Amino acid sequence: MYRDGAASLENDNRAMAFVLEHDVPMQALNTFGVAARARTLMRVRSAQDLAELMREPVLAARPRLILGGGSNLLFTGDVEALVLKIDVPGMRELEPSETHWRVEVGAGENWHAVVEQLVQNDRPGLENLALIPGNCGAAPVQNIGAYGLELAERFESLQAWDFERNALVTLTLADCRFGYRDSLFKHEAPGRYAIIAITLALPRQWQAVRGYLDVDNALKARGIGAPAAGDIFDAVVAIRRRKLPDPAVVGNAGSFFKNPVVPREKQAELVRHFPSLVSYPLPGGRYKLAAGWLIEAAGLKGATRGRAGVYEKQALVLVNRGGATGGEILALAREVQAKVAEKFGVQLEPEPVIV
């Protein structure tokens, strides 16, 4: 049923000589398509590769950059750190629990391809997260989410190489300290962990997550009242393709800014001045504001600055219009932040890692 990558996911005892690549062009390894070069790059296909690497004192002491699908970073120059390109393959079903199907996936697998295969193989639960760019190992770092669902709700554990302990470790849901587009991996010693595999927990008693208006409208337009997981998958794919640029055609990293979260009092103040403000209530009396609405209301939707721009169909997305440098894109991001802060008194926080 699944591609068995078990051997790739374990810290086995096989001998392996890792290979280092030097002066590596990175343009094809980031979805912004920004030109940059890595001084040294190593492609990681197992935990054993990292065990071998750490036996070399000079390499072990170098600063590291963990790279997955390159969909959540922005290069602003060449990379002096040792780039560890995580290409761990494999997907296999584990022993289920009473309530969940359990699936282990290599960190190098493409996220959307995994979601699609699981839905097709009657293992639903991730369909709302379809077409999110990037690889599976990056999903916990960002705690990816879309259309009413976050990874944390379908996550059991992960395997990661801990460079401080120099060992393969297992981190549970609680260990990962997930928050809104946030996790342990963004705060505790960035670069400490290289995620090798993730274990997903998919509900055996599946229920559709359709609270997001766009998804509900898409289902109603198709006359679907009781959707199957495949119906939601198709709706989400159609919505994302309509709203978001394909990185293979227009360089981008998806949503560039997080939706800011504000207290109830701030949301009420903004609504008084801007009645059409789009916001969503959260537990504890807070509100999540639609960053795309804020950027558009600040007059920046479709803006172009040199070779960088704000996407015409979705103001939350910054794009490389062709040959933009990371510096140009970063300058545009800072302009967006400044204008939104000036107009609304709200600070936007970038989602991608700035390198």
Side-chain angles (χ1 to χ4, degrees), residues 163-176:
F163 287 99
E164 285 191 10
R165 295 174 58 186
N166 202 23
L168 187 67
V169 298
T170 297
L171 299 179
T172 66
L173 174 65
D175 293 332
C176 291

Side-chain angles (χ1 to χ4, degrees), residues 311-333:
Y311 191 51
E312 294 80 4
K313 296 181 181 180
Q314 170 54 270
L316 196 52
V317 178
L318 302 189
V319 295
N320 179 353
R321 299 202 186 279
T325 66
E328 288 177 296
I329 296 169
L330 183 58
L332 174 59

Side-chain angles (χ1 to χ4, degrees), residues 74-250:
L74 175 63
F75 290 120
T76 58
D78 291 340
V79 185
E80 290 299 315
L82 172 61
V83 177
L84 300 177
K85 176 69 173 71
I86 308 298
D87 289 337
V88 179
M91 180 162 63
R92 60 175 180 165
E93 187 158 346
L94 305 177
E95 187 71 24
S97 70
E98 291 186 5
T99 55
H100 290 84
W101 304 112
R102 301 170 61 242
V103 180
E104 183 184 64
V105 187
E109 294 288 343
N110 176 269
W111 174 261
H112 174 69
V114 166
V115 173
E116 183 173 33
Q117 185 173 347
L118 289 170
V119 170
Q120 290 175 348
N121 288 328
D122 196 28
R123 294 294 181 265
L126 298 175
E127 51 282 342
N128 294 62
L129 307 183
L131 216 61
I132 293 179
N135 291 350
C136 291
V141 177
Q142 190 73 358
N143 185 23
I144 59 173
Y147 300 108
L149 184 72
E150 290 188 339
L151 174 70
E153 299 170 73
R154 301 288 187 259
F155 179 89
E156 178 182 298
S157 64
L158 60 80
Q159 289 179 292
W161 187 265
D162 184 340
F163 287 99
E164 285 191 10
R165 295 174 58 186
N166 202 23
L168 187 67
V169 298
T170 297
L171 299 179
T172 66
L173 174 65
D175 293 332
C176 291
R177 302 208 302 261
F178 289 128
Y180 172 61
R181 303 299 176 271
D182 199 16
S183 70
L184 160 78
F185 309 103
K186 288 190 170 185
H187 300 284
E188 183 175 318
R192 173 178 173 177
Y193 297 102
I195 296 171
I196 299 298
I198 65 174
T199 298
L200 302 164
L202 308 175
R204 299 176 71 166
Q205 296 296 320
W206 176 83
Q207 291 184 323
V209 178
R210 56 181 298 178
Y212 244 71
L213 186 61
D214 282 351
V215 175
D216 208 41
N217 287 342
L219 294 170
K220 288 177 181 176
R222 299 181 186 190
I224 300 172
D231 297 321
I232 292 179
F233 176 91
D234 291 342
V236 169
V237 168
I239 292 166
R240 292 185 72 92
R241 285 181 173 157
R242 184 174 69 248
K243 287 187 171 185
L244 303 174
D246 182 348
V249 179
V250 179

